[in-house]
């Protein structure tokens, strides 16, 4: 038996260092590297159990071409010749914008950018804009600070208190937990602010069960306390632009009025404000809150709270939404040309259908499952079904792959070479193939290169993984004496990332000052026809639509007993939105609010378990994110025959 180290490339803040045991060419066990400063010797459930997917009987290991309702296996040459022929024909007839290359987060490896380079060289073709995951929050932080990054993750040990604001670390990024535990052991207070009672509550000292999207009002209530008690930091006027307009907005309502909107007791808001003022306090901004119509305003309000309370630029402070995961890499080296046209990601279905001059004739999907993961699944599926030619590169028959004309079998995270940074800390890693790809699977880089040969574009993507990785770090890490072999050892922190953000440099905005928001968004609305907000959230058992084990039976929906329309625990019911309905099994949980319905994200659309079948495609206020969790739903008994 041999043991190999690699980094996890999945869409997760943690980017763990994995140790894999290999016996006779087969991986037999996965575990977390005990010496990695963030991985700390354990893996999350979904990756610890990844071998169920790696060796699943339904893994795609040969190229497939549609034949009637099913697929026929073909050779790589046949598949690539067919694809290259279509690409050249469509470009000649309609121009390169008639091809749409869609990439999502199946792998966060930097070498995905080389695949993108092929499409830039071939076109450039149509690509996506906006971001289904974090569009609003990204835009908020860019507006307020001019860039998105965070204090070092271990700086949390300098906090007097930590506000986990809409974040389920226990499920979505469990490697934060040992640090929270250590912080608490040092006397730090950890507070969770979330409409949903979830596993992370058990790791906190206080839980504030705010109204969905009530966070803006809660932040205003806290700001009101800071102003009323003279607790706004003395340097706030110097650090921030727009302080007067911000103050006027805060004073437009009383503490009690703001708290009413937030559905939080005034005493609780006062306590949180006092924690902030005492400092140092770090706000860990979760990714869920941004997925609301007012998501950008909410994150901007948290940015403002941090800045006016004196918690920016200090150890133990900060308002952390993201770690600049590509910050150590020379991504400019991958860029050739900008797209002539973009499709707004959350509106994928509508916009692919509506695109004209030229219409979109071909879609290529890399590392994404838009049918299951983008809102309005039926529209997305219809948009794909009605294209002339759809290619999906994936290792499994996702909902999207099922609708493709050609499915190309890709290597998994254990079969590929790549580079990763993390969006939950500043450590870097190399992904190094533990075993060769199963069957005929190939890496995305190999696929791009084989295709480039047929398109006369070999030069645009030529290079071994080692060469591409070296190119990506030569100009950035090279001057710090860091090479690939150093990264391969696994414990290199990005030397370009500051330990305390903005401690040595001002915010990266035009004025060098924090931009405070000055306009309040509308209050969250109730809709009596659909009184529950559909919260389709991360589950331990899956990475988005990549479930550890196949799912069967109806999707479970968790609601408060008084929000269950008289249904009992375990009952079958219909979960309805303005778009349609799904058959679900009801779970009652008295710890939940009466205005939410909680389901797992990532269920299969074709199997009738997908939240996005019910979620309307709506944009966030800024950043072209998806307002995924605003969706109103109701529960109804199943119609009896
Ligand atoms: N096991 C597992 N891990 C994952 C993933 C997965 O699918 N499964 N997904 C990965 C991905 S893609 C991402 S982006 C990350 C982050 O994954 P996310 O699931 O986006 O992030 P979390 O921060 O864990 O959870 C979102 C939290 O936001 C809360 N929330 C929703 N609306 C509001 C609101 O209005 N106010 C407040 N205060 N809170 C709200 C939800 O209740 C939830 O607790 O995790 C990654 N990790
Ligand atoms: N209702 C609702 N919708 C949501 C969310 C939600 O909370 N609720 N969360 C949103 C969020 S945070 C995100 S990030 C998105 C995620 O949306 P996606 O990124 O589309 O999610 P995945 O299901 O992880 O799909 C990735 C696909 O890539 C494949 N894959 C994995 N590795 C590779 C690789 O190396 N190469 C190739 N070619 N393929 C690979 C996987 O098998 C999988 O089918 O979904 C969003 N959608
Ligand atoms: Mo995400």
């Amino acid at each position: 038996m041999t043991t190999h180290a690699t980094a996890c490339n999945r869409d997760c803040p943690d980017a763990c260092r994995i140790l894999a045991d290999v016996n006779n060419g087969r991986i037999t066990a996965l575990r977390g590297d005990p010496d990695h400063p963030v991985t700390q010797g354990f893996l999350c459930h979904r990756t610890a159990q990844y071998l169920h997917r790696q060796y699943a009987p339904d893994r795609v290991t040969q190229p497939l071409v549609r034949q009637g309702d099913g697929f026929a296996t073909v050779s790589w040459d046949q598949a690539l010749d067919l694809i290259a022929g279509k690409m050249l024909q469509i470009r000649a007839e309609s121009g390169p914008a008639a091809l749409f290359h869609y990439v999502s987060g199946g792998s966060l490896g930097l070498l995905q950018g080389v695949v993108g380079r092929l499409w830039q060289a071939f076109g450039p073709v149509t690509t996506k804009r906006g971001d289904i995951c974090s569009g609003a929050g990204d835009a908020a932080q860019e507006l307020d600070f001019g860039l998105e990054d965070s204090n070092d993750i271990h700086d949390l040990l300098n906090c007097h208190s930590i506000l986990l604001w809409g974040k389920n670390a226990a499920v979505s990024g469990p490697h934060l937990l040992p640090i929270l535990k250590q912080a608490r052991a040092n006397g730090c207070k950890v507070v969770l602010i979330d409409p949903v009672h979830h596993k992370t509550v058990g790791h906190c000292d206080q839980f504030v069960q705010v109204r969905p999207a009530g966070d803006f009002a809660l932040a205003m209530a806290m700001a009101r306390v800071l102003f009323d008690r003279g607790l706004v930091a003395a340097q706030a006027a110097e650090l921030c632009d727009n302080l007067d307009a911000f103050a006027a907005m805060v004073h437009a309502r009383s503490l009690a009025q703001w708290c009413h909107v937030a559905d939080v007791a005034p005493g609780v808001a006062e306590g949180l404000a006092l924690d902030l003022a005492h400092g140092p306090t770090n706000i860990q901004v979760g990714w869920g809150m941004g997925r609301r119509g007012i998501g950008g305003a909410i994150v901007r309000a948290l940015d403002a709270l941090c800045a006016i309370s004196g918690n920016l630029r200090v150890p133990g402070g900060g308002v952390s939404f993201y770690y600049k995961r590509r910050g150590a890499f020379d991504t400019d080296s991958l860029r050739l040309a900008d797209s002539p046209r973009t499709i707004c990601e959350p509106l994928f279905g509508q916009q692919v259908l509506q695109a004209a001059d030229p219409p979109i004739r071909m879609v290529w999907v890399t590392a994404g499952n838009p049918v299951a993961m983008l809102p309005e699944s039926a529209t997305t599926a219809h948009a794909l079904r009605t294209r002339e030619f759809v290619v999906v590169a994936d290792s499994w028959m996702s909902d999207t792959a099922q609708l493709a004309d050609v499915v190309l079998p890709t290597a998994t995270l254990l079969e590929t070479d790549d580079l990763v940074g993390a969006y939950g800390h500043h450590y870097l890693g190399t992904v190094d193939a533990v075993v060769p790809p199963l069957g005929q699977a190939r890496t995305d880089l190999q696929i791009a290169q084989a295709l480039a040969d047929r398109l006369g574009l070999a030069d645009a993507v030529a290079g071994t993984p080692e060469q591409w990785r070296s190119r990506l770090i030569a100009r950035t890490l090279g001057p710090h004496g860091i090479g690939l072999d150093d990264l391969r050892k696994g414990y290199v922190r990005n030397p370009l990332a500051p330990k305390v953000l903005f401690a040595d440099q001002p915010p990266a905005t035009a004025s060098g000052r924090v931009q405070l928001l000055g306009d309040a968004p509308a209050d969250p609305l109730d809709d009596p026809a659909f009184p529950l907000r559909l919260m389709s959230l991360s589950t331990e058992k899956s990475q988005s639509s990549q479930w550890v084990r196949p799912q069967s039976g109806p999707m479970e929906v968790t609601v408060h007993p008084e929000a269950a329309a008289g249904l009992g625990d375990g009952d079958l019911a219909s979960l309805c939105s303005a778009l349609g309905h799904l058959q679900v099994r009801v779970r009652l949980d008295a710890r939940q609010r009466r205005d939410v319905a909680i389901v797992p994200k990532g269920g299969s659309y074709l199997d009738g378990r997908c939240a996005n079948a019910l979620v309307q495609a709506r944009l966030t206020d800024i950043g072209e994110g998806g307002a995924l969790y605003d969706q109103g739903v109701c529960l109804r008994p199943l119609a009896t025959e």
Side-chain angles (χ1 to χ4, degrees):
M1 190 191 75
T2 48
T3 298
H4 305 250
T6 188
C8 185
N9 68 10
R10 307 185 94 177
D11 189 343
C12 171
D14 295 358
C16 286
R17 189 165 152 92
I18 299 174
L19 298 181
D21 295 336
V22 178
N23 220 331
N24 290 326
R26 199 177 162 93
I27 308 169
T28 51
L30 299 175
R31 59 189 186 282
D33 182 346
D35 297 325
H36 189 279
V38 178
T39 306
Q40 298 203 31
F42 73 99
L43 295 177
C44 63
H45 177 83
R46 69 197 186 288
T47 300
Q49 301 292 316
Y50 187 74
L51 296 180
H52 291 292
R53 289 187 70 78
Q54 170 79 10
Y55 296 120
D58 58 350
R59 197 166 144 198
V60 186
T61 55
Q62 290 186 69
L64 303 174
V65 171
R66 174 159 299 284
Q67 205 172 59
D69 287 342
F71 291 93
T73 56
V74 293
S75 70
W76 273 104
D77 279 341
Q78 286 170 310
L80 292 170
D81 287 346
L82 171 68
I83 295 168
K86 274 282 182 192
M87 287 173 69
L88 291 166
Q89 181 202 343
I90 291 172
R91 186 179 64 178
E93 290 171 358
S94 307
L99 297 100
F100 173 27
H101 181 225
Y102 174 78
V103 195
S104 189
S107 159
L108 294 189
L110 269 286
L111 296 198
Q112 286 295 344
V114 186
V115 179
R117 214 175 135 86
L118 172 65
W119 292 94
Q120 293 172 38
F122 180 77
V125 301
T126 298
T127 55
K128 76 172 188 191
R129 68 170 196 279
D131 193 272
I132 193 64
C133 174
S134 56
D138 294 332
Q141 291 233 311
E142 292 278 351
L143 272 174
D144 295 342
F145 304 127
L147 59 78
E148 280 185 278
D149 205 350
S150 298
N151 289 11
D152 189 82
I153 190 168
H154 293 105
D155 182 58
L156 288 171
L157 298 174
N158 297 320
C159 296
H160 171 74
S161 57
I162 298 171
L163 304 182
L164 293 181
W165 207 313
K167 198 173 176 89
N168 188 358
V171 166
S172 295
H175 294 84
L176 189 61
L177 298 181
I179 297 172
L180 292 180
K181 190 174 173 189
Q182 206 182 335
R184 290 176 78 197
N186 296 343
C188 172
K189 173 180 170 188
V190 178
V191 183
L192 174 70
I193 302 167
D194 203 302
V196 174
H197 187 291
H198 52 62
K199 258 185 116 173
T200 304
V201 173
H203 300 269
C204 298
D205 301 287
Q206 188 186 348
F207 173 42
V208 178
Q209 203 161 11
V210 65
R211 184 195 306 276
D215 309 86
F216 182 86
L218 176 57
M220 292 303 109
M222 291 163 64
R224 180 83 211 225
V225 174
L226 295 176
F227 280 111
D228 288 355
R229 301 209 184 175
L231 295 172
V232 171
Q235 72 272 31
E238 209 179 305
L239 176 66
C240 307
D241 281 330
N242 218 22
L243 185 59
D244 289 345
F246 178 77
M249 176 177 72
V250 171
H251 285 93
R253 286 178 175 174
S254 67
L255 174 63
Q257 285 169 329
W258 285 123
C259 285
H260 177 73
V261 177
D263 196 15
V264 170
V268 170
E270 273 172 6
L272 294 174
L274 296 181
D275 287 337
L276 261 185
H278 179 290
T281 296
N282 174 280
I283 306 179
Q284 287 280 308
V285 188
W287 294 277
M289 272 172 316
R291 299 184 195 123
R292 296 198 171 276
I294 66 164
I298 293 175
V299 177
R300 294 200 69 192
L302 305 192
D303 291 349
L305 271 185
C306 172
I308 68 162
S309 61
N311 280 296
L312 199 69
R313 319 181 73 168
V314 297
V319 51
S320 173
F321 179 71
Y322 182 75
Y323 289 70
K324 208 172 163 186
R325 68 180 176 87
R326 298 187 190 88
F329 307 116
D330 180 13
T331 48
D332 284 346
S333 68
L334 296 173
R335 193 169 308 132
L336 285 174
D338 289 336
S339 298
R341 173 169 67 186
T342 50
I343 296 290
C344 177
E345 186 171 33
L347 306 180
F348 180 115
Q350 295 166 25
Q351 292 204 345
V352 166
L353 286 165
Q354 285 162 5
D357 292 335
I360 288 173
R361 296 175 58 186
M362 170 173 171
V363 181
W364 177 301
V365 177
T366 302
N369 184 6
V371 172
M373 297 316 298
L374 299 184
E376 261 170 65
S377 294
T379 314
T380 314
H382 177 63
L384 290 177
R385 280 195 183 107
T386 49
R387 289 320 88 191
E388 194 175 318
F389 198 60
V390 175
V391 179
V392 175
D394 207 306
S395 314
W396 297 276
M397 289 305 281
S398 68
D399 281 336
T400 307
Q402 307 259 15
L403 304 184
D405 296 290
V406 180
V407 181
L408 299 177
T410 49
T412 65
L413 69 101
L414 299 169
E415 300 166 346
T416 197
D417 297 315
D418 215 323
L419 268 181
V420 287
Y423 63 88
H425 58 78
H426 286 124
Y427 290 87
L428 310 173
T430 58
V431 181
D432 293 295
V434 171
V435 288
L438 203 63
Q440 293 182 30
R442 293 184 182 180
T443 65
D444 292 298
L445 179 63
Q446 289 170 328
I447 296 172
Q449 290 174 338
L451 195 58
D453 287 343
R454 289 166 167 81
L455 299 170
L457 295 170
D459 287 352
V461 289
T464 61
E466 204 70 357
Q467 285 167 332
W468 278 110
R469 293 191 285 191
S470 300
R471 282 174 204 159
L472 275 160
I473 62 170
R475 279 195 291 196
T476 46
L477 300 180
H480 293 267
I482 297 170
L484 268 186
D485 283 335
D486 302 298
L487 294 190
R488 202 166 267 129
K489 290 189 196 115
Y491 315 115
V492 175
R493 183 181 179 278
N494 176 7
L496 306 170
K499 293 258 167 138
V500 176
L501 189 62
F502 306 131
D504 305 320
Q505 310 163 282
T509 53
S511 67
R513 288 135 66 99
V514 178
Q515 300 302 300
L516 299 182
L517 81 168
D519 294 314
D523 291 337
L525 281 181
D526 288 330
D527 176 353
F530 297 108
L532 308 173
R533 297 300 112 204
L534 183 65
M535 313 282 283
S536 42
L537 303 176
S538 284
T539 151
E540 273 171 320
K541 299 183 185 121
S542 180
Q543 166 73 41
S544 294
S545 68
Q546 307 171 58
W547 293 79
V548 169
R549 292 173 187 277
Q551 298 292 292
S552 59
M555 173 169 85
E556 287 199 347
V557 57
T558 303
V559 290
H560 189 279
E562 287 165 21
L567 293 150
D569 190 68
D571 283 356
L572 284 175
S574 187
L575 185 65
C576 312
S577 79
L579 276 187
H581 56 90
L582 288 177
Q583 194 182 105
V584 292
R585 191 169 298 284
V586 175
R587 290 286 162 223
L588 299 182
D589 181 351
R591 300 168 305 175
Q592 304 302 345
R593 291 181 56 92
R594 290 165 178 76
D595 54 6
V596 298
I598 306 154
V599 297
K601 79 170 176 182
S604 163
Y605 171 63
L606 296 176
D607 292 350
R609 273 192 301 274
C610 181
N612 283 323
L614 302 180
V615 177
Q616 291 165 288
R618 276 180 297 221
L619 292 181
T620 53
D621 46 0
I622 51 174
E624 299 190 293
L628 300 172
Y629 308 151
D630 280 350
Q631 184 64 49
V633 292
C634 66
L635 269 175
R636 293 193 189 128
L638 279 189
T640 41
E641 248 82 314

